[in-house]
């Protein structure tokens, strides 16, 4: 069973570049009767038998993956819309509807690079998991960092960033001065009503705080 994804064209290209088969997780485009389905295959979900269970479990996996991709390319807002199964040589699509909320996104697209030889020809490298797949595997082994990823995905607010910092600390990460400023600023804004916390001397903007938090998570996943 695959998870059916919704993504714009740029996001689809990014995910196809970052989550290649046969490594886990991977995405691909399936076709049937002139219709294309952008789908995700996640090893840890293969034992799930019903579309609803796969959908519910897949939402967390995709949120973590959004956090990973956003840490690489600046944004990612891919969503799960249902499941796709193969039966009798045909694809069966189950759409699962939920109430949706609007999200604003920021960041830039991904630049693709090639390594060239002395004659300027692309060097074909041996297949290996992408950095996104490596980080997903690392997060699977470190649940607290996976939580931090989930809080940093999409368009996090100050509360989300504070929770991400708490997860980093719980994972044994020592915050540097830049991340301490993020945590203090986030703590201040989440307690604005009672003024129980003060801003640091040089508080980061929300955009800069998101970037710092994602970079910190990436460093820990890459260790």
């Amino acid at each position: 069973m695959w998870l059916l994804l919704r993504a714009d064209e740029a996001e689809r290209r990014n995910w196809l570049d970052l989550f290649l088969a046969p490594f886990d997780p991977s995405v691909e485009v399936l076709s049937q009767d002139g219709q294309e389905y952008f789908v995700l295959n996640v090893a840890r979900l293969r034992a799930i038998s019903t579309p609803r269970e796969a959908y519910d479990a897949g939402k967390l996996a995709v949120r973590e993956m959004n956090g990973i991709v956003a840490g690489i390319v600046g944004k990612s807002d891919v969503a799960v819309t249902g499941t796709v199964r193969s039966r009798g040589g045909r694809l069966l699509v189950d759409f699962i509807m939920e109430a949706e909320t609007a999200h604003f996104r920021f960041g830039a697209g991904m630049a693709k690079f090639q390594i060239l030889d002395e004659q300027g020809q692309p060097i074909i490298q041996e297949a290996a998991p992408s950095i996104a797949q490596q980080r997903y595997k690392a997060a699977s082994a470190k649940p607290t960092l996976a939580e931090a990823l989930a809080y940093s995905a999409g368009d996090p607010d100050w509360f989300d960033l504070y929770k991400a910092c708490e997860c980093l600390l719980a994972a044994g990460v020592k915050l540097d001065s830049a991340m301490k400023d993020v945590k203090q600023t986030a703590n201040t804004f989440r307690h604005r009503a009672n003024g129980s916390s003060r801003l640091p001397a040089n508080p980061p903007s929300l955009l800069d705080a998101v970037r710092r938090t994602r970079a910190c998570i990436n460093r820990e996943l890459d260790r």
Side-chain angles (χ1 to χ4, degrees), residues 134-192:
Q134 292 173 29
R135 287 175 179 171
Y136 183 85
K137 182 178 180 180
S140 297
K142 301 176 181 178
T144 312
L145 287 182
E147 286 186 56
L149 270 176
Y151 281 117
S152 73
D155 302 296
D157 57 20
W158 287 111
F159 177 80
D160 294 322
L161 295 183
Y162 180 83
K163 295 298 290 184
C165 289
E166 289 288 287
C167 290
L168 287 167
L169 290 171
V173 178
K174 185 176 180 180
L175 302 184
D176 60 19
S177 59
M179 282 303 298
K180 287 179 180 178
D181 283 348
V182 170
K183 186 174 185 293
Q184 185 176 342
T185 303
N187 193 38
T188 299
F189 281 115
R190 78 188 187 102
H191 287 306
R192 279 182 298 183

Side-chain angles (χ1 to χ4, degrees), residues 21 46 55 64 134 139 146 161 197:
R46 288 173 188 160
Y55 173 83
E64 293 172 7
Q134 292 173 29
L161 295 183
S197 179

